[in-house]
Amino acid sequence: DIQMTQSPSSLSASVGDRVTITCRASQTISSYLNWYQHKPGKAPKVLIYAASSLQGGVPSRFSGSGSGTDFTLTISSLQPEDFATYYCQQTYSTPYTFGQGTTLEIK
Amino acid sequence: EVQLLESGGGLVQPGGSLRLSCAASGFSFSNYAMSWVRQAPGKGLEDVSAIRDSGDDSYYADSIKGRFTISRDNSRNTLYLQMNSLRAEDTAVYYCAKSRGATVNTNYFDSWGQGTLVTVSS
């Protein structure tokens, strides 16, 4: 199975900050990388697919980049509703493994 | 609006069985692959199983292979997960998720349910 490693595991930030979360794959996955936002008790929500494509309805402050093994999710200006856990996922080969998650907390 | 509503979770003893259901609405269910993803307490997301639109192709994570069976009834717009020989480590919230495409070789999951909790304990 392809291992996905996110960093950091947790992050404290303030409203208005720019934050970056990284995700590294254990082997090349081309651009088969997605980012999800998950809030407690809610359904996860896709933000970015194919490494850099913004899902419809997702605010433009979210962006993704990378290919091969190294990827980033950037939130340009944090809003109160962005405090959540973020997961990367590879869909290069089954099983479609997720990173361990990055919890974004209010500073 | 896409809606996915899971049901069937609960408390079960080790070695027992449960069947989860996911009722889908708001899209043409028979045209999309569907998946089950779980989250154990305090842990991250784990891709468990997927089934293509027609139901004739599927895959399973090694952790549940031989014990769980995914199926679907396109006439009822419903996805199922039959879980047998349950273990404590199967305790998790189980989410159903809609794939972007028709086959198990999905691009990504574009809609998720809110999950159903399965607790395996004596």
Side-chain angles (χ1 to χ4, degrees):
Chain A
D1 297 359
I2 297 175
Q3 305 302 316
M4 306 300 293
T5 303
Q6 285 181 236
S7 61
S9 296
S10 64
L11 175 60
S12 294
S14 301
V15 172
D17 284 354
R18 178 184 181 91
V19 300
T20 298
I21 299 168
T22 65
C23 180
R24 175 165 288 177
S26 60
Q27 66 183 76
T28 184
I29 57 170
S30 185
S31 295
Y32 291 92
L33 191 284
N34 311 308
W35 291 97
Y36 298 88
Q37 178 191 68
H38 192 198
K39 298 179 180 179
K42 301 284 191 178
K45 171 185 171 183
V46 63
L47 303 172
I48 301 288
Y49 64 93
S52 60
S53 296
L54 190 68
Q55 174 73 350
V58 174
S60 60
R61 63 180 179 272
F62 292 93
S63 64
S65 65
S67 66
T69 61
D70 294 309
F71 303 86
T72 61
L73 172 71
T74 298
I75 310 172
S76 60
S77 178
L78 273 175
Q79 298 302 300
E81 60 268 29
D82 299 338
F83 293 94
T85 299
Y86 293 84
Y87 293 93
C88 62
Q89 178 207 30
Q90 64 81 19
T91 50
Y92 182 81
S93 66
T94 59
Y96 297 133
T97 44
F98 292 85
Q100 81 277 17
T102 295
T103 300
L104 186 50
E105 300 168 329
I106 300 174
K107 184 182 286 184
Chain B
E1 180 191 3
V2 172
Q3 291 197 353
L4 300 170
L5 183 61
E6 302 94 338
S7 62
L11 176 64
V12 62
Q13 293 188 339
S17 299
L18 275 180
R19 187 176 83 155
L20 305 184
S21 300
C22 173
S25 62
F27 65 103
S28 183
F29 181 75
S30 62
N31 287 348
Y32 294 93
M34 298 293 295
S35 292
W36 289 99
V37 178
R38 68 184 181 182
Q39 183 175 35
K43 302 292 187 182
L45 300 170
E46 179 188 10
D47 179 35
V48 170
S49 182
I51 187 168
R52 73 162 295 157
D53 55 347
S54 59
D56 59 4
D57 188 26
S58 61
Y59 76 79
Y60 298 91
D62 286 345
S63 58
I64 58 96
K65 201 171 292 183
R67 301 186 297 122
F68 291 11
T69 302
I70 192 170
S71 63
R72 63 191 296 161
D73 184 339
N74 286 346
S75 68
R76 295 178 181 268
N77 291 345
T78 303
L79 175 72
Y80 302 101
L81 186 67
Q82 178 67 44
M83 304 187 296
N84 298 331
S85 303
L86 282 161
R87 306 167 179 167
E89 55 264 36
D90 296 317
T91 294
V93 175
Y94 286 73
Y95 297 95
C96 72
K98 171 185 171 291
S99 290
R100 186 68 180 85
T103 73
V104 297
N105 297 311
T106 189
N107 295 316
Y108 60 97
F109 303 139
D110 62 4
S111 296
W112 299 61
Q114 295 203 348
T116 187
L117 176 63
V118 172
T119 303
V120 184
S121 175
S122 55

